[in-house]
Amino acid sequence: MRTTLIAAAALALSVVGCGPKKQEKAQATGAGAADAHLVTFTDITQQAGITWTHNTGAFGGKLLPETMGSGAAFIDYDNDGYPDLFLVNGRDWTDAEIQAFKNGSSKQYASLVPAKVQKRGGTCALYRNKGDGTFEDVTKAVGLDLVTYGMGATVGDYNNDGRPDLLVTLLADRAVLLKNRGAADRHWLLLDLEGTRSNRDGYGALVRVQAGGKRFLAEHRCPVGFLSQSDRRLHFGLDRAAMAERIEIRWPSGQTQTLTNVAANQILKVKEPGERRP
């Protein structure tokens, strides 16, 4: 506590110009060093082949739903080892819905509706990862050209067949469960982690998998969407490899666990070594 107070006092003196000159110089040097390692991002959306546009459904003054956006999720739907991209879209209000809005219980907001409501169209979308940094739009081919007021995207293998499925939560409507009916000719692996010295679910674990000459890397996280949460198990599409030669798990506790020659097409429960901490 005393050290903290001294540091705070020194910082305050520096701000008002009463601190030592050497400290000011050190701070300037530190800022310069930070700038030299600044992380930057470049928009490569079009270059990567993603042309999808989100339709908020707004037709004038935005209401709450139109300001919330919608979901997105990575899903290796074809088990080729490359994460594909699923995007949830909204939709235009129908003429009947707009008239109900203008004449119903919300008629005090009727002035928000313009004389001519612009229709944008659009559907949900699935982009297949081609493995070279670009994506291919396969939305219609896989039957995901849905016109719905979607909000959340959730990924999970609900029937444990190794092919990840999708759940889309909607605005003021029932959720839609989309079963993956793709060919089962590629291999997969589901890892169900249990922490002991780490947190119970092993969130934060870093998992590396080597299979068939390919390397895969995933962090065990808890992805969530609108009123939804994805499968907590880690899914790896292994393509044509019938075995994972090596699996390395770096647990949040700091210890590393290694598994070798693990057969594909199974749900593998992996418990962190060591006794559970009280």
Side-chain angles (χ1 to χ4, degrees), residues 62-82:
K62 291 184 178 180
L63 305 177
L64 180 61
E66 290 93 344
T67 64
M68 296 175 64
S70 60
F74 282 105
I75 170 175
D76 185 6
Y77 78 98
D78 54 1
N79 279 328
D80 66 352
Y82 299 109

Side-chain angles (χ1 to χ4, degrees), residues 74-109:
F74 282 105
I75 170 175
D76 185 6
Y77 78 98
D78 54 1
N79 279 328
D80 66 352
Y82 299 109
D84 311 295
L85 179 60
F86 175 68
L87 299 163
V88 178
N89 213 344
R91 64 166 175 80
D92 298 314
W93 285 43
T94 65
D95 293 338
E97 289 171 336
I98 293 176
Q99 288 303 315
F101 177 80
K102 293 170 64 176
N103 303 320
S105 60
S106 300
K107 61 184 178 181
Q108 67 267 35
Y109 302 111

Side-chain angles (χ1 to χ4, degrees), residues 105 128 198 254 264:
S105 60
R128 185 181 71 85
S198 304

